[in-house]
Amino acid sequence: MKRLFVGGISWATNDDLLRETFSQFGSIRDAKVIYDRESGRSRGFGFVTFDNDEDADQAVENLDGQELDGRRIRVNEAMDRAGGGGGGGGGPPRY
């Protein structure tokens, strides 16, 4: 199983179009456009998870730099999220 990052997508692109576009290269486990919590608009990127790593590699090779929904997209293997969280820190100690 391999997860791909898809950047530069149009605000009009939805999960179904993402799935349809990538499914020509193999079995898709998940296709998700990421939306802004507050505005509800697309953030311009999404993720596609393939069941098979070789299929994912074919999708990267064939779709990276291609046009989808009027925009040139970037497709590459998604990086694992670095341990996020946090906040605060810095500044003088409080007494």
Side-chain angles (χ1 to χ4, degrees), residues 7-9 65-68 70-74:
I9 60 177
Q66 297 301 308
E67 199 170 286
L68 173 65
R71 299 279 310 265
R72 192 167 299 281
I73 59 172
R74 293 182 323 279

Side-chain angles (χ1 to χ4, degrees), residues 13-33 47-51 63 68:
T13 301
N14 60 26
D15 296 352
D16 292 337
L17 181 57
L18 213 52
R19 177 179 294 276
E20 181 183 318
T21 300
F22 281 80
S23 66
Q24 62 185 307
F25 297 99
S27 177
I28 304 288
R29 179 165 295 204
D30 188 42
K32 196 101 183 119
V33 173
F47 295 94
V48 177
T49 305
F50 278 86
D51 287 323
L63 292 175
L68 173 65

Side-chain angles (χ1 to χ4, degrees), residues 54-70:
E54 290 79 25
D55 294 342
D57 293 341
Q58 280 292 324
V60 170
E61 196 173 300
N62 287 280
L63 292 175
D64 185 41
Q66 297 301 308
E67 199 170 286
L68 173 65
D69 222 6

